[in-house]
Protein backbone atom coordinates (compact mmCIF):
# COMPACT_ATOMS: atom_id res chain seq x y z
CA UNK A 1 0.00 0.00 0.00
CA UNK A 2 1.66 3.09 -1.13
CA UNK A 3 2.37 5.61 1.52
CA UNK A 4 0.39 8.83 1.38
CA UNK A 5 2.42 11.96 0.59
CA UNK A 6 2.03 14.53 3.26
CA UNK A 7 1.05 17.98 2.04
CA UNK A 8 3.65 20.72 2.71
CA UNK A 9 2.75 23.10 5.55
CA UNK A 10 1.07 26.30 4.48
CA UNK A 11 3.37 29.35 4.29
CA UNK A 12 2.21 32.23 6.35
CA UNK A 13 2.38 35.65 4.79
CA UNK A 14 4.75 37.99 6.63
CA UNK A 15 3.08 40.52 8.87
CA UNK A 16 4.48 43.45 6.93
CA UNK A 17 3.04 42.19 3.65
CA UNK A 18 -0.10 44.15 4.43
CA UNK A 19 0.17 47.66 3.01
CA UNK A 20 -1.66 49.17 5.96
CA UNK A 21 0.54 47.43 8.54
CA UNK A 22 3.74 48.33 6.64
CA UNK A 23 2.73 51.96 6.44
CA UNK A 24 1.89 52.05 10.15
CA UNK A 25 5.26 50.46 10.95
CA UNK A 26 7.12 53.05 8.88
CA UNK A 27 5.25 55.85 10.60
CA UNK A 28 6.04 54.38 14.01
CA UNK A 29 9.73 53.98 13.15
CA UNK A 30 9.95 57.58 11.90
CA UNK A 31 8.06 58.87 14.93
CA UNK A 32 10.27 57.07 17.41
CA UNK A 33 13.37 58.14 15.49
CA UNK A 34 12.25 61.77 15.71
CA UNK A 35 11.57 61.34 19.41
CA UNK A 36 15.05 59.92 19.88
CA UNK A 37 16.63 62.73 17.87
CA UNK A 38 14.70 65.31 19.90
CA UNK A 39 15.90 63.75 23.16
CA UNK A 40 19.47 63.58 21.85
CA UNK A 41 19.31 67.20 20.69
CA UNK A 42 17.98 68.26 24.09
CA UNK A 43 20.74 66.41 25.93
CA UNK A 44 23.45 67.87 23.68
CA UNK A 45 22.00 71.36 23.97
CA UNK A 46 21.45 71.18 27.72
CA UNK A 47 24.65 69.52 28.86
CA UNK A 48 27.13 70.31 26.05
CA UNK A 49 26.20 73.53 24.26
CA UNK A 50 24.44 75.46 27.01
CA UNK A 51 27.44 75.56 29.38
CA UNK A 52 29.60 77.02 26.57
CA UNK A 53 26.90 79.28 25.11
CA UNK A 54 29.05 82.34 25.69
CA UNK A 55 31.34 81.35 22.79
CA UNK A 56 28.63 81.29 20.12
CA UNK A 57 28.00 85.06 19.65
CA UNK A 58 31.73 85.79 19.09
CA UNK A 59 31.93 82.79 16.75
CA UNK A 60 28.94 83.97 14.71
CA UNK A 61 30.40 87.47 14.47
CA UNK A 62 33.76 85.97 13.42
CA UNK A 63 32.13 83.93 10.65
CA UNK A 64 30.26 87.01 9.40
CA UNK A 65 33.53 88.94 9.22
CA UNK A 66 35.26 86.06 7.44
CA UNK A 67 32.53 85.90 4.79
CA UNK A 68 32.65 89.67 4.31
CA UNK A 69 36.39 90.30 4.27
CA UNK A 70 37.86 87.15 2.74
CA UNK A 71 37.22 88.21 -0.91
CA UNK A 72 39.11 91.48 -0.34
CA UNK A 73 41.99 89.72 1.40
CA UNK A 74 42.18 87.06 -1.31
CA UNK A 75 42.25 89.77 -4.00
CA UNK A 76 45.13 91.55 -2.25
CA UNK A 77 46.93 88.22 -1.88
CA UNK A 78 46.63 87.55 -5.62
CA UNK A 79 48.28 90.92 -6.24
CA UNK A 80 51.37 89.77 -4.38
CA UNK A 81 50.67 90.96 -0.84
CA UNK A 82 51.30 88.40 1.91
CA UNK A 83 48.10 87.18 3.54
CA UNK A 84 49.05 88.47 6.98
CA UNK A 85 49.66 91.99 5.68
CA UNK A 86 46.57 91.82 3.48
CA UNK A 87 44.50 90.90 6.54
CA UNK A 88 46.04 93.70 8.60
CA UNK A 89 45.41 96.29 5.87
CA UNK A 90 41.81 95.15 5.34
CA UNK A 91 41.16 95.17 9.08
CA UNK A 92 42.59 98.66 9.41
CA UNK A 93 40.32 100.10 6.71
CA UNK A 94 37.26 98.14 7.85
CA UNK A 95 37.59 99.02 11.53
CA UNK A 96 38.26 102.67 10.68
CA UNK A 97 35.07 102.90 8.63
CA UNK A 98 33.03 101.07 11.26
CA UNK A 99 34.52 103.14 14.08
CA UNK A 100 33.80 106.47 12.40
CA UNK A 101 30.25 105.33 11.57
CA UNK A 102 29.54 104.16 15.11
CA UNK A 103 31.12 107.28 16.62
CA UNK A 104 28.55 109.35 14.76
CA UNK A 105 25.60 106.96 14.88
CA UNK A 106 25.64 105.80 18.50
CA UNK A 107 25.18 109.27 20.06
CA UNK A 108 22.42 110.07 17.56
CA UNK A 109 20.57 106.80 18.19
CA UNK A 110 21.03 107.10 21.96
CA UNK A 111 19.70 110.65 21.97
CA UNK A 112 16.69 109.76 19.82
CA UNK A 113 15.85 106.66 21.85
CA UNK A 114 15.97 108.76 25.03
CA UNK A 115 13.76 111.38 23.40
CA UNK A 116 11.32 108.67 22.33
CA UNK A 117 11.15 107.26 25.85
CA UNK A 118 10.43 110.73 27.22
CA UNK A 119 7.71 111.33 24.62
CA UNK A 120 5.83 108.09 25.33
CA UNK A 121 3.36 109.71 27.79
CA UNK A 122 2.50 112.41 25.26
CA UNK A 123 2.07 109.85 22.48
CA UNK A 124 -0.21 107.79 24.70
CA UNK A 125 -2.35 110.84 25.46
CA UNK A 126 -2.64 111.64 21.75
CA UNK A 127 -3.49 108.01 20.98
CA UNK A 128 -6.16 108.03 23.68
CA UNK A 129 -7.68 111.24 22.32
CA UNK A 130 -7.62 109.88 18.76
CA UNK A 131 -9.30 106.63 19.83
CA UNK A 132 -11.94 108.54 21.76
CA UNK A 133 -12.63 110.81 18.78
CA UNK A 134 -12.88 107.82 16.43
CA UNK A 135 -15.23 106.00 18.80
CA UNK A 136 -17.46 109.07 19.08
CA UNK A 137 -17.75 109.25 15.30
CA UNK A 138 -18.90 105.63 15.24
CA UNK A 139 -21.36 106.25 18.07
CA UNK A 140 -19.51 103.92 20.43
CA UNK A 141 -18.55 104.33 24.05
CA UNK A 142 -15.04 103.02 24.64
CA UNK A 143 -13.01 103.45 27.79
CA UNK A 144 -9.79 104.36 26.04
CA UNK A 145 -7.79 104.59 29.25
CA UNK A 146 -8.04 100.80 29.57
CA UNK A 147 -6.73 100.33 26.03
CA UNK A 148 -3.58 102.37 26.57
CA UNK A 149 -2.98 101.47 30.22
CA UNK A 150 -1.04 98.38 29.17
CA UNK A 151 1.55 100.63 27.53
CA UNK A 152 1.90 102.98 30.47
CA UNK A 153 4.65 102.64 33.04
CA UNK A 154 2.45 100.67 35.43
CA UNK A 155 1.37 98.27 32.66
CA UNK A 156 3.11 95.20 31.35
CA UNK A 157 4.76 96.91 28.40
CA UNK A 158 5.87 99.75 30.66
CA UNK A 159 7.64 97.25 32.91
CA UNK A 160 9.21 95.70 29.83
CA UNK A 161 10.47 99.10 28.64
CA UNK A 162 11.82 99.71 32.13
CA UNK A 163 13.74 96.47 31.97
CA UNK A 164 15.12 97.40 28.57
CA UNK A 165 16.45 100.68 29.95
CA UNK A 166 18.57 98.75 32.45
CA UNK A 167 21.34 97.39 30.24
CA UNK A 168 24.25 97.61 32.62
CA UNK A 169 24.38 93.85 33.15
CA UNK A 170 24.74 93.21 29.42
CA UNK A 171 27.57 95.65 28.72
CA UNK A 172 30.33 93.18 29.60
CA UNK A 173 28.85 90.46 27.42
CA UNK A 174 28.47 92.79 24.44
CA UNK A 175 32.02 94.06 24.89
CA UNK A 176 33.25 90.46 25.01
CA UNK A 177 31.47 89.66 21.74
CA UNK A 178 32.77 92.79 20.00
CA UNK A 179 36.35 92.07 21.10
CA UNK A 180 36.57 88.28 20.72
CA UNK A 181 34.66 88.17 17.43
CA UNK A 182 37.09 90.33 15.41
CA UNK A 183 40.12 88.67 17.07
CA UNK A 184 38.85 85.19 16.23
CA UNK A 185 37.99 86.32 12.69
CA UNK A 186 41.52 87.71 12.24
CA UNK A 187 43.14 84.35 13.03
CA UNK A 188 40.62 82.50 10.86
CA UNK A 189 41.33 84.81 7.92
CA UNK A 190 45.09 84.48 8.26
CA UNK A 191 45.01 80.66 8.54
CA UNK A 192 42.07 80.03 6.19
CA UNK A 193 44.21 78.45 3.40
CA UNK A 194 45.81 76.10 5.95
CA UNK A 195 42.40 75.16 7.36
CA UNK A 196 41.17 74.35 3.87
CA UNK A 197 44.19 72.15 3.14
CA UNK A 198 43.71 70.32 6.44
CA UNK A 199 40.04 69.71 5.69
CA UNK A 200 40.88 68.42 2.20
CA UNK A 201 43.55 66.05 3.60
CA UNK A 202 40.92 64.44 5.83
CA UNK A 203 38.84 63.43 2.77
CA UNK A 204 39.68 60.10 1.04
CA UNK A 205 41.71 60.69 -2.14
CA UNK A 206 39.18 59.00 -4.45
CA UNK A 207 36.39 61.28 -3.20
CA UNK A 208 38.44 64.43 -2.73
CA UNK A 209 37.78 65.98 -6.13
CA UNK A 210 34.04 65.39 -5.94
CA UNK A 211 33.72 66.74 -2.39
CA UNK A 212 35.96 69.70 -3.19
CA UNK A 213 33.84 70.65 -6.21
CA UNK A 214 30.60 70.47 -4.25
CA UNK A 215 32.09 72.41 -1.32
CA UNK A 216 33.50 75.10 -3.60
CA UNK A 217 30.19 75.60 -5.38
CA UNK A 218 28.29 75.65 -2.11
CA UNK A 219 30.73 78.13 -0.56
CA UNK A 220 30.56 80.46 -3.54
CA UNK A 221 26.75 80.37 -3.60
CA UNK A 222 26.28 80.80 0.14
CA UNK A 223 28.97 83.46 0.51
CA UNK A 224 27.70 85.45 -2.47
CA UNK A 225 24.11 85.29 -1.24
CA UNK A 226 25.18 86.23 2.28
CA UNK A 227 27.26 89.23 1.18
CA UNK A 228 24.54 90.33 -1.22
CA UNK A 229 21.90 90.10 1.52
CA UNK A 230 24.02 92.14 3.90
CA UNK A 231 24.56 94.79 1.22
CA UNK A 232 20.81 94.95 0.67
CA UNK A 233 20.18 95.35 4.40
CA UNK A 234 22.83 98.05 4.61
CA UNK A 235 21.24 99.89 1.71
CA UNK A 236 17.75 99.51 3.21
CA UNK A 237 18.94 100.87 6.56
CA UNK A 238 20.78 103.83 5.04
CA UNK A 239 17.97 104.62 2.61
CA UNK A 240 15.36 104.39 5.38
CA UNK A 241 17.32 106.68 7.69
CA UNK A 242 17.96 109.16 4.88
CA UNK A 243 14.34 109.17 3.72
CA UNK A 244 12.94 109.58 7.23
CA UNK A 245 15.49 112.32 7.96
CA UNK A 246 14.48 114.15 4.77
CA UNK A 247 10.79 114.14 5.72
CA UNK A 248 11.67 115.41 9.20
CA UNK A 249 10.82 112.33 11.27
CA UNK A 250 12.05 112.87 14.81
CA UNK A 251 13.41 109.35 15.38
CA UNK A 252 14.82 108.62 11.94
CA UNK A 253 18.00 106.85 13.12
CA UNK A 254 16.55 104.03 15.30
CA UNK A 255 13.64 103.45 12.91
CA UNK A 256 16.04 103.16 9.96
CA UNK A 257 18.22 100.74 11.91
CA UNK A 258 15.20 98.63 12.81
CA UNK A 259 14.12 98.53 9.16
CA UNK A 260 17.58 97.40 8.07
CA UNK A 261 17.96 94.75 10.79
CA UNK A 262 14.52 93.21 10.37
CA UNK A 263 15.01 93.04 6.61
CA UNK A 264 17.41 90.18 7.33
CA UNK A 265 14.39 88.00 8.18
CA UNK A 266 13.21 86.22 5.02
CA UNK A 267 9.73 86.97 3.67
CA UNK A 268 8.28 88.71 6.73
CA UNK A 269 11.28 90.84 7.67
CA UNK A 270 10.49 93.84 5.44
CA UNK A 271 6.92 93.96 6.77
CA UNK A 272 8.09 93.78 10.39
CA UNK A 273 10.71 96.45 9.77
CA UNK A 274 8.09 98.72 8.20
CA UNK A 275 5.90 98.70 11.32
CA UNK A 276 7.79 101.57 13.05
CA UNK A 277 7.42 103.62 9.88
CA UNK A 278 3.67 103.57 10.49
CA UNK A 279 4.45 106.43 12.83
CA UNK A 280 4.16 108.51 9.66
CA UNK A 281 0.41 108.40 10.26
CA UNK A 282 0.97 109.94 13.68
CA UNK A 283 3.38 112.44 12.16
CA UNK A 284 0.77 113.45 9.58
CA UNK A 285 -1.53 114.64 12.37
CA UNK A 286 1.23 116.97 13.58
CA UNK A 287 1.93 118.44 10.12
CA UNK A 288 0.02 121.72 9.73
CA UNK A 289 -2.36 122.19 6.84
CA UNK A 290 -1.45 124.72 4.17
CA UNK A 291 -2.54 128.16 5.45
CA UNK A 292 -3.18 129.26 1.86
CA UNK A 293 -5.61 126.42 1.33
CA UNK A 294 -7.26 127.08 4.71
CA UNK A 295 -7.72 130.74 3.82
CA UNK A 296 -9.13 129.83 0.41
CA UNK A 297 -11.82 127.57 1.85
CA UNK A 298 -12.80 130.14 4.46
CA UNK A 299 -11.09 128.65 7.54
CA UNK A 300 -9.39 131.95 8.34
CA UNK A 301 -8.93 131.35 12.07
CA UNK A 302 -7.08 128.10 11.45
CA UNK A 303 -4.91 129.76 8.78
CA UNK A 304 -3.98 132.51 11.26
CA UNK A 305 -3.11 129.94 13.93
CA UNK A 306 -0.86 128.02 11.53
CA UNK A 307 0.86 131.23 10.45
CA UNK A 308 1.50 132.31 14.02
CA UNK A 309 2.96 128.89 14.88
CA UNK A 310 5.29 129.05 11.88
CA UNK A 311 6.35 132.58 12.79
CA UNK A 312 7.11 131.63 16.40
CA UNK A 313 9.17 128.59 15.33
CA UNK A 314 11.10 130.82 12.91
CA UNK A 315 11.83 133.41 15.58
CA UNK A 316 9.55 136.01 13.99
CA UNK A 317 7.09 138.11 15.96
CA UNK A 318 3.53 137.05 14.98
CA UNK A 319 1.90 139.64 12.76
CA UNK A 320 -1.65 139.27 14.07
CA UNK A 321 -4.70 138.01 12.17
CA UNK A 322 -4.96 137.97 8.38
CA UNK A 323 -5.27 141.39 6.80
CA UNK A 324 -8.19 140.36 4.57
CA UNK A 325 -11.12 138.14 5.45
CA UNK A 326 -11.05 135.10 3.21
CA UNK A 327 -14.15 133.96 1.40
CA UNK A 328 -14.97 130.31 1.00
CA UNK A 329 -14.89 129.19 -2.64
CA UNK A 330 -16.70 126.16 -4.01
CA UNK A 331 -14.62 123.35 -5.42
CA UNK A 332 -14.45 123.83 -9.16
CA UNK A 333 -15.04 120.93 -11.59
CA UNK A 334 -11.98 119.14 -12.88
CA UNK A 335 -12.62 120.29 -16.46
CA UNK A 336 -12.50 123.92 -15.34
CA UNK A 337 -9.31 123.41 -13.33
CA UNK A 338 -7.69 121.51 -16.18
CA UNK A 339 -8.67 124.21 -18.68
CA UNK A 340 -7.03 126.83 -16.42
CA UNK A 341 -3.70 125.06 -16.91
CA UNK A 342 -3.86 126.02 -20.59
CA UNK A 343 -4.99 129.60 -20.05
CA UNK A 344 -2.62 132.39 -21.04
CA UNK A 345 -0.86 132.77 -17.63
CA UNK A 346 0.03 129.06 -17.36
CA UNK A 347 0.19 127.73 -20.94
CA UNK A 348 3.98 128.00 -21.21
CA UNK A 349 4.49 126.49 -17.76
CA UNK A 350 2.20 123.54 -18.42
CA UNK A 351 3.86 122.79 -21.76
CA UNK A 352 7.30 122.97 -20.18
CA UNK A 353 6.34 120.75 -17.21
CA UNK A 354 4.64 118.10 -19.35
CA UNK A 355 7.69 117.80 -21.62
CA UNK A 356 10.00 117.85 -18.58
CA UNK A 357 8.16 115.14 -16.66
CA UNK A 358 7.68 112.86 -19.65
CA UNK A 359 11.28 113.18 -20.84
CA UNK A 360 13.01 112.73 -17.49
CA UNK A 361 10.86 109.77 -16.36
CA UNK A 362 10.97 108.15 -19.82
CA UNK A 363 14.78 108.31 -19.84
CA UNK A 364 15.25 107.14 -16.25
CA UNK A 365 13.09 104.03 -16.49
CA UNK A 366 14.19 103.30 -20.04
CA UNK A 367 17.85 103.23 -18.98
CA UNK A 368 17.84 101.80 -15.47
CA UNK A 369 15.17 99.12 -15.97
CA UNK A 370 17.28 97.41 -18.62
CA UNK A 371 20.76 98.45 -17.49
CA UNK A 372 21.69 95.02 -15.99
CA UNK A 373 20.63 93.28 -19.21
CA UNK A 374 22.48 95.83 -21.34
CA UNK A 375 25.66 95.25 -19.34
CA UNK A 376 25.29 91.47 -19.67
CA UNK A 377 24.93 91.92 -23.43
CA UNK A 378 28.26 93.78 -23.41
CA UNK A 379 30.02 90.82 -21.87
CA UNK A 380 29.66 91.30 -18.11
CA UNK A 381 28.55 88.29 -16.11
CA UNK A 382 25.29 88.54 -14.20
CA UNK A 383 26.89 89.14 -10.80
CA UNK A 384 29.22 91.79 -12.20
CA UNK A 385 26.33 93.53 -13.97
CA UNK A 386 24.22 93.79 -10.83
CA UNK A 387 27.23 94.86 -8.75
CA UNK A 388 27.97 97.66 -11.22
CA UNK A 389 24.32 98.75 -11.26
CA UNK A 390 24.30 98.86 -7.45
CA UNK A 391 27.38 101.10 -7.42
CA UNK A 392 25.89 103.27 -10.15
CA UNK A 393 22.63 103.78 -8.26
CA UNK A 394 24.52 104.91 -5.15
CA UNK A 395 25.57 108.00 -7.14
CA UNK A 396 21.94 109.16 -6.89
CA UNK A 397 22.45 110.25 -3.28
CA UNK A 398 25.11 112.94 -3.93
CA UNK A 399 23.09 113.94 -6.99
CA UNK A 400 20.12 114.75 -4.80
CA UNK A 401 22.22 116.58 -2.21
CA UNK A 402 24.11 118.69 -4.73
CA UNK A 403 20.92 119.67 -6.53
CA UNK A 404 19.22 120.58 -3.24
CA UNK A 405 22.18 122.84 -2.38
CA UNK A 406 22.39 124.51 -5.80
CA UNK A 407 18.69 125.33 -6.26
CA UNK A 408 18.81 127.71 -3.30
CA UNK A 409 22.06 129.38 -4.35
CA UNK A 410 22.07 129.27 -8.12
CA UNK A 411 18.37 128.93 -8.92
CA UNK A 412 15.89 126.31 -10.08
CA UNK A 413 16.08 126.88 -13.82
CA UNK A 414 19.87 127.08 -14.36
CA UNK A 415 20.48 124.11 -12.04
CA UNK A 416 17.84 122.02 -13.80
CA UNK A 417 19.16 122.85 -17.28
CA UNK A 418 22.73 122.06 -16.18
CA UNK A 419 21.75 118.67 -14.74
CA UNK A 420 19.76 117.80 -17.86
CA UNK A 421 22.74 118.65 -20.06
CA UNK A 422 24.96 116.59 -17.76
CA UNK A 423 22.52 113.69 -18.16
CA UNK A 424 22.74 114.01 -21.95
CA UNK A 425 26.55 113.88 -21.92
CA UNK A 426 26.55 110.95 -19.48
CA UNK A 427 24.04 109.02 -21.64
CA UNK A 428 26.33 109.39 -24.66
CA UNK A 429 29.36 108.31 -22.62
CA UNK A 430 27.55 105.23 -21.28
CA UNK A 431 26.40 104.25 -24.76
CA UNK A 432 29.94 104.43 -26.15
CA UNK A 433 31.91 103.19 -23.11
CA UNK A 434 34.04 100.06 -23.68
CA UNK A 435 33.00 96.82 -22.00
CA UNK A 436 35.21 97.43 -18.98
CA UNK A 437 34.19 98.06 -15.40
CA UNK A 438 35.89 101.43 -14.87
CA UNK A 439 34.45 103.33 -17.90
CA UNK A 440 30.98 101.83 -17.39
CA UNK A 441 30.98 102.73 -13.70
CA UNK A 442 32.14 106.28 -14.42
CA UNK A 443 29.61 106.98 -17.19
CA UNK A 444 26.77 105.21 -15.36
CA UNK A 445 27.46 107.03 -12.10
CA UNK A 446 27.47 110.37 -13.93
CA UNK A 447 24.11 109.53 -15.51
CA UNK A 448 22.70 108.45 -12.15
CA UNK A 449 24.08 111.59 -10.46
CA UNK A 450 22.71 114.11 -12.98
CA UNK A 451 19.43 112.34 -13.80
CA UNK A 452 18.32 111.89 -10.21
CA UNK A 453 19.58 115.36 -9.26
CA UNK A 454 17.37 116.79 -12.02
CA UNK A 455 14.47 114.70 -10.78
CA UNK A 456 14.89 116.14 -7.30
CA UNK A 457 14.75 119.67 -8.72
CA UNK A 458 11.54 118.80 -10.59
CA UNK A 459 9.75 118.02 -7.34
CA UNK A 460 10.74 121.43 -5.99
CA UNK A 461 10.09 123.37 -9.19
CA UNK A 462 6.69 121.96 -10.23
CA UNK A 463 4.40 123.10 -7.35
CA UNK A 464 5.88 126.63 -7.39
CA UNK A 465 4.48 127.33 -10.87
CA UNK A 466 0.74 127.13 -10.07
CA UNK A 467 -1.60 128.92 -7.65
CA UNK A 468 -3.11 127.13 -4.69
CA UNK A 469 -6.41 126.42 -6.47
CA UNK A 470 -4.69 124.73 -9.42
CA UNK A 471 -1.52 123.37 -7.85
CA UNK A 472 -2.77 119.84 -7.30
CA UNK A 473 -4.24 119.58 -10.81
CA UNK A 474 -1.15 121.07 -12.44
CA UNK A 475 1.42 118.98 -10.58
CA UNK A 476 -0.72 115.84 -10.81
CA UNK A 477 -1.30 116.08 -14.56
CA UNK A 478 2.42 116.60 -15.20
CA UNK A 479 3.28 113.62 -12.99
CA UNK A 480 0.63 111.53 -14.77
CA UNK A 481 2.31 112.25 -18.08
CA UNK A 482 5.55 111.19 -16.45
CA UNK A 483 3.93 107.84 -15.59
CA UNK A 484 3.23 107.39 -19.31
CA UNK A 485 6.93 107.96 -19.91
CA UNK A 486 7.72 105.36 -17.25
CA UNK A 487 5.60 102.85 -19.18
CA UNK A 488 6.85 103.79 -22.64
CA UNK A 489 10.61 103.73 -21.93
CA UNK A 490 10.95 100.15 -20.64
CA UNK A 491 8.76 98.80 -23.47
CA UNK A 492 10.54 100.74 -26.21
CA UNK A 493 14.11 99.69 -25.37
CA UNK A 494 13.77 95.89 -25.91
CA UNK A 495 11.70 96.48 -29.05
CA UNK A 496 14.46 98.63 -30.54
CA UNK A 497 17.15 96.11 -29.53
CA UNK A 498 15.28 93.00 -30.71
CA UNK A 499 17.40 91.22 -33.37
CA UNK A 500 14.20 90.19 -35.15
CA UNK A 501 13.00 93.80 -35.20
CA UNK A 502 14.84 97.05 -35.68
CA UNK A 503 18.01 95.66 -34.01
CA UNK A 504 19.64 98.96 -33.10
CA UNK A 505 23.03 98.91 -31.33
CA UNK A 506 23.24 100.05 -27.72
CA UNK A 507 25.00 103.24 -28.74
CA UNK A 508 21.91 104.25 -30.73
CA UNK A 509 19.63 103.53 -27.76
CA UNK A 510 21.68 105.80 -25.50
CA UNK A 511 21.87 108.38 -28.29
CA UNK A 512 18.05 108.44 -28.20
CA UNK A 513 18.12 109.18 -24.49
CA UNK A 514 20.82 111.83 -25.05
CA UNK A 515 18.56 113.58 -27.58
CA UNK A 516 15.65 113.33 -25.13
CA UNK A 517 17.66 115.08 -22.43
CA UNK A 518 18.80 117.76 -24.88
CA UNK A 519 15.24 118.45 -26.03
CA UNK A 520 13.99 118.67 -22.43
CA UNK A 521 16.85 121.00 -21.48
CA UNK A 522 16.05 123.26 -24.46
CA UNK A 523 12.35 123.37 -23.54
CA UNK A 524 13.14 124.26 -19.92
CA UNK A 525 15.62 126.94 -21.05
CA UNK A 526 13.10 128.51 -23.45
CA UNK A 527 9.81 128.15 -21.56
CA UNK A 528 10.83 127.81 -17.92
CA UNK A 529 10.61 130.63 -15.37
CA UNK A 530 13.00 131.20 -12.50
CA UNK A 531 11.19 131.01 -9.16
CA UNK A 532 14.04 131.62 -6.74
CA UNK A 533 13.62 134.84 -4.75
CA UNK A 534 10.14 135.61 -6.11
CA UNK A 535 7.03 135.91 -3.96
CA UNK A 536 4.53 133.11 -4.26
CA UNK A 537 1.74 135.57 -5.10
CA UNK A 538 3.77 136.86 -8.01
CA UNK A 539 4.44 133.34 -9.25
CA UNK A 540 0.84 132.24 -8.76
CA UNK A 541 -0.57 135.33 -10.52
CA UNK A 542 -3.69 135.22 -8.39
CA UNK A 543 -6.73 136.76 -10.14
CA UNK A 544 -8.14 139.82 -8.48
CA UNK A 545 -10.63 139.20 -5.70
CA UNK A 546 -9.07 136.03 -4.36
CA UNK A 547 -7.76 136.13 -0.80
CA UNK A 548 -4.07 136.70 -0.14
CA UNK A 549 -2.14 136.08 3.03
CA UNK A 550 -0.17 138.65 4.91
CA UNK A 551 3.42 139.31 4.03
CA UNK A 552 4.85 136.89 6.60
CA UNK A 553 3.99 133.96 4.35
CA UNK A 554 3.93 135.77 1.02
CA UNK A 555 7.71 135.87 0.99
CA UNK A 556 10.22 134.73 -1.56
CA UNK A 557 10.02 131.22 -2.95
CA UNK A 558 13.39 130.39 -1.52
Amino acid sequence: MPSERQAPPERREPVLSSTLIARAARVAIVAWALVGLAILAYLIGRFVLYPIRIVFPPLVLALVLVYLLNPVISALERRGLKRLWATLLTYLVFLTVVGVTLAYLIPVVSHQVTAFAQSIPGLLRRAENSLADFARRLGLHVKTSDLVSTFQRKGGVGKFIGRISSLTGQVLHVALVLVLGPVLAFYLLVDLPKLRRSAQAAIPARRRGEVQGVATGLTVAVAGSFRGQLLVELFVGIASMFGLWVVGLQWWAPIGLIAGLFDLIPLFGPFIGAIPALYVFVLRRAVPESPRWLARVGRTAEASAVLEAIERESGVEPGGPLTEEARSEPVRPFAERFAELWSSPYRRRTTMLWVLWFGIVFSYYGVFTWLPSLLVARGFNLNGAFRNVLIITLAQVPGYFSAAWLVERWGRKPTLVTYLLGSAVAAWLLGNAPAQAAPVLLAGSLLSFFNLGAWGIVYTYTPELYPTASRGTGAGSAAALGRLGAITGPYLVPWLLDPKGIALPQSSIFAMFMVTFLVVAAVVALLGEETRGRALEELAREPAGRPELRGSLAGPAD
Side-chain angles (χ1 to χ4, degrees), residues 217-232:
L218 184 63
T219 301
V220 170
V222 172
S225 175
F226 178 75
R227 286 190 291 269
Q229 187 69 19
L230 284 184
L231 283 176
V232 170

Side-chain angles (χ1 to χ4, degrees), residues 27 62 85 307 321 371 415 484 551:
V27 171
W85 293 108
L307 279 176
L371 188 55
T415 305
L484 293 179

Side-chain angles (χ1 to χ4, degrees), residues 53-328:
R53 63 189 181 279
I54 194 172
V55 305
F56 292 114
L59 183 60
V60 170
L61 178 59
L63 293 177
V64 169
L65 293 177
V66 169
Y67 269 114
L68 284 178
L69 303 181
N70 184 57
V72 180
I73 296 171
S74 300
L76 293 175
E77 190 179 16
R78 287 193 298 268
R79 293 180 176 272
L81 196 62
K82 291 185 177 181
R83 190 167 185 89
L84 175 61
W85 293 108
T87 306
L88 285 173
L89 179 61
T90 305
Y91 251 64
L92 178 63
V93 176
F94 176 76
L95 293 179
T96 301
V97 173
V98 172
V100 171
T101 303
L102 293 179
Y104 169 74
L105 199 58
I106 289 177
V108 174
V109 173
S110 176
H111 173 74
Q112 293 186 9
V113 170
T114 302
F116 173 75
Q118 294 174 349
S119 65
I120 288 177
L123 292 176
L124 292 176
R125 285 194 299 269
R126 291 173 59 180
E128 184 175 352
N129 295 334
S130 299
L131 289 173
D133 181 63
F134 182 72
R136 282 196 300 270
R137 293 181 181 180
L138 296 178
L140 302 175
H141 177 70
V142 179
K143 194 174 181 181
T144 55
S145 58
D146 293 339
L147 296 176
V148 300
S149 61
T150 305
F151 296 91
Q152 293 175 352
R153 187 167 297 275
K154 63 182 180 180
V157 179
K159 295 179 182 177
F160 177 70
I161 294 175
R163 289 194 298 267
I164 290 180
S165 61
S166 178
L167 297 175
T168 306
Q170 301 295 327
V171 171
L172 183 60
H173 180 66
V174 172
L176 184 66
V177 172
L178 295 179
V179 172
L180 288 182
V183 171
L184 182 59
F186 179 84
Y187 285 104
L188 288 175
L189 287 168
V190 172
D191 294 332
L192 193 58
K194 298 179 182 179
L195 295 175
R196 287 175 178 170
R197 288 193 295 268
S198 300
Q200 292 173 5
I203 303 173
R206 59 191 183 90
R207 296 290 185 182
R208 190 172 299 165
E210 180 183 355
V211 173
Q212 185 176 356
V214 173
T216 301
L218 184 63
T219 301
V220 170
V222 172
S225 175
F226 178 75
R227 286 190 291 269
Q229 187 69 19
L230 284 184
L231 283 176
V232 170
E233 315 321 320
L234 179 64
F235 181 79
V236 168
I238 294 175
S240 300
M241 285 191 288
F242 176 73
L244 296 174
W245 173 75
V246 168
V247 301
L249 189 63
Q250 186 177 2
W251 307 303
W252 53 270
I255 292 179
L257 284 176
I258 291 173
L261 291 174
F262 275 102
D263 206 51
L264 286 167
I265 302 175
L267 297 178
F268 303 104
F271 299 98
I272 299 174
I275 291 176
L278 294 177
Y279 176 72
V280 170
F281 292 102
V282 180
L283 176 68
R284 177 63 185 87
R285 296 179 61 87
V287 175
E289 186 56 82
S290 167
R292 296 177 178 276
W293 181 83
L294 292 172
R296 185 167 300 281
V297 298
R299 295 159 62 176
T300 313
E302 296 179 49
S304 297
V306 172
L307 279 176
E308 292 176 2
I310 294 174
E311 289 166 340
R312 281 192 295 269
E313 291 180 5
S314 303
V316 178
E317 186 67 24
L322 297 180
T323 56
E324 180 181 346
E325 185 68 23
R327 299 186 302 275
S328 178

